[in-house]
Amino acid sequence: MRVILCAATAVLSSLATATCTQHGQHQCSKLAKKLNIQDATVWFTEYVSAGTNMSFPDAHPTCAQGALTAGVDFCRVALYVATSSRSGISMEAWLPSNWTGRFLSTGNGGLNGCLSYSDMLYTVGLGFATVGANNGHNGTSGEPFLNNPDVVTDFAWRSVHTNAVVGKQISKAFYSKKHTKSYYLGCSTGGRQGFKSAQSFPDDFDGIVAGAPAFNFNNLTSWSGHFYLRIGAPGSPTFLTPAQWFAVHADIMAQCDGLDGHVDGILEDPQLCHYRPESLLCPPGTNASSTCLTGTQASTVRSIFSNLHGADGALVYPRMQPGSELLGTPYIYWSGQPFAYTADWFRYVIHSDPAWDPATLGPADYALADALNPADIRTWSGDLSKVRARGARILHWHGLQDQIISSEISPLYYDHVARTMNLPSGELDEFYRFFRISGTGHCQGGPGASFIGQGRLAAASLEPEQNVLMAVVRWVEQGTAPESILGSAVVNGSVVYQRRHCKYPLRNVYTGEGDPKDPDTWECV
Ligand SMILES: *[C@@H]1O[C@H](CO)[C@@H](O)[C@H](O)[C@H]1NC(C)=O
Ligand SMILES: *[C@@H]1O[C@H](CO)[C@@H](O)[C@H](O)[C@H]1NC(C)=O
Ligand SMILES: *[C@@H]1O[C@H](CO)[C@@H](O)[C@H](O)[C@H]1NC(C)=O
Ligand SMILES: *[C@@H]1O[C@H](CO)[C@@H](O)[C@H](O)[C@H]1NC(C)=O
Ligand SMILES: *[C@@H]1O[C@H](CO)[C@@H](O)[C@H](O)[C@H]1NC(C)=O
Ligand SMILES: *[C@@H]1O[C@H](CO)[C@@H](O)[C@H](O)[C@H]1NC(C)=O
């Protein structure tokens, strides 16, 4: 049941509201004195009332943090926690007046360095005592890693762990009682942090939502950087123009869109798509155009949709899944620019050489990065037995049009867990479920039913059937596990259709009968 710090009736008089605000301010201002956390320095406490326009002048400019409007009353506390003599995290706890008793930790993205204020706003609004941290450095650049392995350690695991441990202490000090259940919500690097917690700090969370995880991090970073070498700079013979990527996308749809029984621009299972670009080859005697490719360009396309192998022939990382081309055009991997995170990771961590040229990336670099495995950032342990033993639950999801982290890595991890633990899906289901979310880009966006409650701006509903966060809460607290996730396709604020996303290894197919916009006309097979 909720702990309401200020007695509130359904309709508050303005006098009662003012009294409540004073009460909240008082509670919040007392918090700094109540905290007794080792190695921590409280910067400020601030009572934020619903409707406040919050701006974040302390956020690093590269975090590009815009203003946010608070939806509920909460106490905001910001602090610094030293993690070594030469590293530390900046973290915040947002403690709602109308508390559910739940604790929640948010994650980060890319190589940053930025608190996920938007996620914090989402979950504080749902009554979770919420924390976020800067992952050990400020901003999006990897430069703070240079010659400081402690900052790398914070990034690899120590920030998310410290944030959870300290965050629970703050929550307890504020409410004068321990939280009931603890949760984690993150995507991308945040998804990796969720799995790192599950693999190495199984006591931190009772329920984990991990989207598009950047796990197998060393090899992911090599793979992300290898596109630049395949594609080359704009104008080089291997490079495709954005218009040509549009042609490739249309051709992929022509070859594969019907495999799920319905042609709608969305592949329900891109793993079934073995795309061949031959039909786009320019006729003999003509030059490349927006609608046709040279043999060299076709070869670029083939290599992008092929697994990446190392010098020893071992798989480094699976292929880019077909279907995400437009979300990646003309950005990111197809831009003809080096990928910034790969460049930073190799410059500031692997080679400790700010002058390292990302155009020289090759199999020797892949092998070195994997062998160094800085601060054990790999995040690929297939042993989740500690999570299982203590009854925690993991909801893993991945958008099937992910233009940054190929969704094909996620089934590999799921299968790796199944094989490491010798468990069939039926038994994994007790504590670990993986959902493939069609028509969805990296963490959010995309033409499909991409609203699954993974964030504040992607929540069409708070019903557990439709919301990954509330699904994991129900699973943990009531034992009802999600069988599927009902996603919503939202255009200009309106739900235009819904579709159920299946639990791996099932895949979604149209039954052939009825309106395909009706989720009941599809089935998981
Ligand atoms: C909130 O504050 C920011 C900067 O302080 C300002 O740019 C923005 O217009 C404000 N938003 C609203 C809705 O008042
Ligand atoms: C990060 O930013 C905060 C707020 O501006 C600042 O107090 C802190 O010292 C910075 N941390 C690092 C490691 O630069
Ligand atoms: C507290 O949360 C509950 C459950 O979401 C809600 O019904 C109630 O209106 C909230 N109370 C206040 C004062 O915000
Ligand atoms: C192909 O491009 C070359 C170089 O721009 C040009 O000389 C040639 O005329 C073009 N051929 C055709 C068939 O357009
Ligand atoms: C990472 O890539 C190396 C080759 O560079 C390979 O030997 C290794 O098995 C890969 N690791 C994982 C976890 O996929
Ligand atoms: C959404 O809004 C944009 C801009 O107002 C408009 O151009 C577009 O047609 C709208 N789409 C739909 C499906 O309503």
Side-chain angles (χ1 to χ4, degrees), residues 198-269:
Q199 294 166 10
S200 304
F201 302 97
D203 293 333
D204 283 356
F205 304 110
D206 298 303
I208 291 174
V209 179
F215 46 22
N216 202 354
F217 183 87
N218 303 305
N219 289 8
L220 165 64
T221 305
S222 296
W223 175 81
S224 301
H226 99 288
F227 292 108
Y228 176 57
L229 286 97
R230 294 269 164 97
I231 286 168
S236 51
T238 44
F239 184 82
L240 277 76
T241 63
Q244 288 176 314
W245 278 114
F246 273 76
V248 169
H249 180 76
D251 199 39
I252 286 172
M253 290 300 148
Q255 289 183 28
C256 298
D257 193 3
L259 293 173
D260 54 27
H262 179 57
V263 174
D264 60 353
I266 290 163
L267 308 182
E268 290 295 328
D269 189 354

Side-chain angles (χ1 to χ4, degrees), residues 382-462:
D383 180 6
L384 300 178
S385 52
K386 290 195 181 126
V387 158
R388 182 193 195 197
R390 65 178 293 273
R393 307 280 184 248
I394 303 169
L395 193 161
H396 169 191
W397 66 273
H398 209 134
L400 296 182
Q401 287 195 15
D402 194 317
Q403 70 278 34
I404 300 181
I405 298 181
S406 175
S407 59
E408 298 203 359
I409 193 64
S410 277
L412 284 184
Y413 180 73
Y414 180 95
D415 294 346
H416 176 54
V417 173
R419 286 160 201 173
T420 305
M421 298 182 71
N422 286 313
L423 292 178
S425 287
E427 287 180 47
L428 280 180
D429 275 357
E430 289 167 18
F431 65 97
Y432 169 36
R433 294 180 178 221
F434 165 47
F435 297 89
R436 295 189 290 169
I437 312 297
S438 64
T440 301
H442 187 60
C443 295
Q444 60 188 356
S450 68
F451 279 53
I452 56 168
Q454 68 271 49
R456 187 174 59 94
L457 302 176
S461 167
L462 294 175

